[in-house]
């Protein structure tokens, strides 16, 4: 069965610290997609990244980077030099390429990141 | 501006009083979906729709109904709301019902059932 685990419920850091948010997933499919979404205090969900199961290259976007490792079924997210504006709940999600194409996202329970000045 | 809109954004109601939360997208997306977000549980899918007149249950459909008469609209109906349906609800849409597509989320509707 599909499952996404975000073991860190809440993380607190001081501005400029680096922080890594962990995501471990379970799936029986060989083709799947992984996502990260950000939910700031205002409540909306903001898409951050999508990664397919055949692309294990790490990705960097400004202060954000993602480490995808199929061997450990992990898709971790690192924020470098964190800022107060990074304070949010971050969700990792999994979508399998089922024949029905149901496009269902399986979300983790989220990690609340608080960045203090 | 491409967007998913939901109304109302906030709603307080009482047990048993039927309500509808509307969802509309202006991106001509085929796929639409409803999720609920609860503390410690993340987001869970309630219902989804692959296209007009095609809907199916997600993981937590009990107590909810949906309809998809037009491509742009996907209302969520609670015929007889109960306190355990107090939650934050999100509507989402994507181009097609494929796992690759990014889902665009609405701003959320915070529902309280007393």
């Amino acid at each position: 069965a599909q499952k996404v685990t975000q073991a860190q419920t809440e993380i607190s850091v001081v501005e400029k610290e680096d922080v890594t948010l962990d995501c471990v997933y379970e799936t029986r499919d060989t083709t799947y997609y992984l996502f990260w979404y950000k939910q700031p205090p205002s409540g909306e969900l903001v898409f951050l990244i999508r990664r397919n199961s055949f692309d294990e290259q790490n990705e960097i976007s400004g202060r954000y980077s993602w480490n995808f490792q199929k061997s450990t079924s992990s898709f971790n997210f690192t924020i470098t030099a964190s800022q107060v504006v990074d304070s949010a709940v971050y969700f990792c999600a999994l979508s399998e390429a089922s024949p029905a194409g149901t496009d269902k996202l399986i979300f983790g329970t989220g990690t609340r990141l608080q960045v203090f000045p | 501006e491409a967007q998913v809109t939901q109304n109302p954004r906030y709603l307080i109601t009482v047990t048993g009083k039927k309500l509808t939360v509307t969802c509309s997208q202006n991106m001509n997306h085929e796929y639409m979906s409803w999720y609920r977000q609860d503390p410690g549980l993340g987001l869970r899918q309630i219902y989804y729709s692959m296209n007009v007149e095609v809907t199916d249950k997600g993981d937590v459909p009990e107590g909810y109904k949906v309809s998809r008469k037009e491509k742009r609209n996907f209302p969520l109906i609670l015929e007889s709301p109960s306190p355990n349906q107090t939650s934050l609800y999100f509507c989402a849409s994507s181009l097609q019902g494929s796992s690759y597509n990014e889902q665009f989320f609405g701003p959320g509707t915070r529902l309280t059932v007393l």
Side-chain angles (χ1 to χ4, degrees):
Chain A
Q2 301 165 295
K3 187 178 179 183
V4 176
T5 301
Q6 295 180 256
Q8 304 151 308
T9 305
E10 190 162 338
I11 302 175
S12 295
V13 299
V14 177
E15 234 181 350
K16 296 184 184 175
E17 282 186 31
D18 298 347
V19 58
T20 295
L21 310 181
D22 298 333
C23 174
V24 174
Y25 62 92
E26 293 177 30
T27 177
R28 283 181 236 168
D29 265 20
T30 55
T31 303
Y32 51 90
Y33 299 86
L34 295 162
F35 301 78
W36 276 94
Y37 283 85
K38 174 182 180 180
Q39 186 177 43
S42 50
E44 74 273 22
L45 284 161
V46 178
F47 168 80
L48 295 178
I49 190 172
R50 170 186 51 229
R51 173 64 73 213
N52 77 57
S53 52
F54 297 108
D55 182 2
E56 284 193 76
Q57 280 195 332
N58 292 331
E59 179 147 345
I60 298 174
S61 176
R63 296 184 297 105
Y64 294 172
S65 63
W66 290 268
N67 184 327
F68 176 31
Q69 291 198 330
K70 283 180 81 169
S71 59
T72 55
S73 297
S74 64
F75 187 43
N76 297 337
F77 173 30
T78 297
I79 302 174
T80 302
S82 59
Q83 300 176 1
V84 173
V85 293
D86 295 327
S87 297
V89 179
Y90 292 87
F91 290 98
C92 180
L94 164 72
S95 181
E96 289 180 345
S98 68
T102 60
D103 207 13
K104 179 171 73 174
L105 283 173
I106 302 297
F107 284 85
T109 51
T111 297
R112 180 179 299 279
L113 173 65
Q114 290 193 303
V115 182
F116 293 100
Chain B
E1 182 190 351
Q3 59 183 349
V4 178
T5 56
Q6 294 178 227
N7 281 292
R9 294 289 312 279
Y10 303 90
L11 179 60
I12 300 174
T13 189
V14 295
T15 299
K17 187 175 180 182
K18 180 179 179 180
L19 66 92
T20 299
V21 184
T22 64
C23 173
S24 183
Q25 50 91 8
N26 62 1
M27 296 169 278
N28 202 36
H29 284 171
E30 290 186 357
Y31 181 91
M32 297 186 75
S33 179
W34 277 102
Y35 295 87
R36 61 178 288 175
Q37 181 181 356
D38 301 291
L41 297 176
L43 281 84
R44 295 174 293 167
Q45 190 181 53
I46 303 171
Y47 268 94
Y48 64 93
S49 170
M50 299 288 282
N51 214 323
V52 176
E53 302 290 2
V54 181
T55 63
D56 209 345
K57 296 176 181 178
D59 294 321
V60 288
E62 294 77 24
Y64 304 96
K65 285 175 59 177
V66 293
S67 68
R68 187 92 182 273
K69 294 186 171 59
E70 307 165 280
K71 200 171 189 178
R72 62 183 294 128
N73 296 323
F74 190 46
L76 180 69
I77 303 157
L78 284 73
E79 295 269 1
S80 183
S82 62
N84 64 12
Q85 292 178 297
T86 292
S87 187
L88 178 58
Y89 291 86
F90 286 99
C91 180
S93 73
S94 64
L95 188 60
Q96 291 177 323
S98 105
S99 53
Y100 172 79
N101 294 129
E102 170 197 346
Q103 291 196 25
F104 294 82
F105 285 84
T109 294
R110 189 167 292 280
L111 172 66
T112 301
V113 183
L114 302 175

